[in-house]
Amino acid sequence: MSGCIAGNRDPANREKARRQVARLHYRITCMREDVLHKLTTRLADCYGIIGIEDLNLKGLLKNRKLARSFSDASLGKLLNLLTSKVEQRGGQILKVGRFFPSSKTCHCCHWKWDDMALSDRVFLCQNQTCSYYQFEQDRDYNASLNILREALHLIGLVDQVVSGTGSDADVNLVMDAG
């Protein structure tokens, strides 16, 4: 009986294949970490205040269709790197609550699209008085503007600009004095 019998494979070939796969996984891990470091460094260098949405990652990983994408994205590691680098540079990370309707709200007039589905990738404002009425907007871009506004609202910067409180009162007193 010469030759290889099915099921009795050479263990050296199996080990060689295992090492090749391990090397490939290691290279992918290194490339992912490199991208995360470069992205977080760039964001920390460019922005002093960064607003992020506090996502329920454990819940997202339970969705069988999205689980691999979210786990491959390394969102937890991204957040840890971003937080440490921004704080090293004197910046601030602001987490917007996970129940804030960032995707369903018009960034201009705050009209809310209650029955918006995850498959709807374009946001259309239905408020006729809004300047973005029936204007096709990318859903994620609209959400990012809402997250920014909410993050600024959390630290009190939006209220001062919109309502006219804060330093505006002092300016009027100086003008009246003469």
Side-chain angles (χ1 to χ4, degrees):
M1 287 186 28
S2 65
C4 182
I5 299 174
N8 188 13
R9 303 273 186 226
D10 186 14
N13 286 341
R14 184 180 191 92
E15 179 62 21
K16 184 178 174 184
R18 187 196 64 78
R19 284 184 181 167
Q20 286 178 336
V21 170
R23 191 177 306 126
L24 182 63
H25 282 291
Y26 176 74
R27 287 187 59 213
I28 291 170
T29 301
C30 290
M31 290 189 318
R32 180 178 292 126
E33 286 186 14
D34 183 54
V35 167
L36 289 176
H37 276 287
K38 287 179 180 177
L39 174 66
T40 54
T41 300
R42 193 171 117 223
L43 289 172
D45 286 341
C46 293
Y47 303 104
I49 298 174
I50 298 177
I52 60 168
E53 192 170 18
D54 185 24
L55 298 173
N56 180 11
L57 292 179
K58 288 183 181 178
L60 291 172
L61 292 176
K62 290 179 183 176
N63 184 333
R64 290 177 30 195
K65 293 182 180 179
L66 300 175
R68 179 171 286 167
S69 298
F70 278 111
S71 61
D72 282 347
S74 303
L75 294 177
K77 184 165 186 148
L78 174 73
L79 178 60
N80 290 338
L81 287 172
L82 186 62
T83 302
S84 65
K85 289 180 183 184
V86 168
E87 288 175 354
Q88 281 176 351
R89 289 161 175 81
Q92 191 174 7
I93 295 280
L94 300 166
K95 288 186 181 180
V96 174
R98 68 178 60 161
F99 298 110
F100 176 71
S102 60
S103 297
K104 297 181 174 188
T105 306
C106 177
H107 74 276
C108 184
C109 69
H110 307 291
W111 174 81
K112 189 174 173 186
W113 184 357
D114 288 322
D115 58 345
M116 184 179 208
L118 186 60
S119 60
D120 295 325
R121 301 312 306 162
V122 175
F123 183 85
L124 287 172
C125 181
Q126 300 300 315
N127 183 1
Q128 293 180 358
T129 61
C130 180
S131 58
Y132 285 89
Y133 174 67
Q134 292 293 324
F135 181 75
E136 289 188 4
Q137 304 175 66
D138 179 61
R139 172 191 177 129
D140 296 330
Y141 180 72
N142 180 59
S144 69
L145 294 175
N146 285 325
I147 291 169
L148 173 63
R149 176 181 284 120
E150 182 64 15
L152 292 174
H153 175 74
L154 290 174
I155 59 174
L157 291 178
V158 169
D159 289 337
Q160 288 182 357
V161 174
V162 174
S163 65
T165 61
S167 63
D168 289 346
D170 298 336
V171 173
N172 290 336
L173 292 175
V174 172
M175 290 174 56
D176 291 339

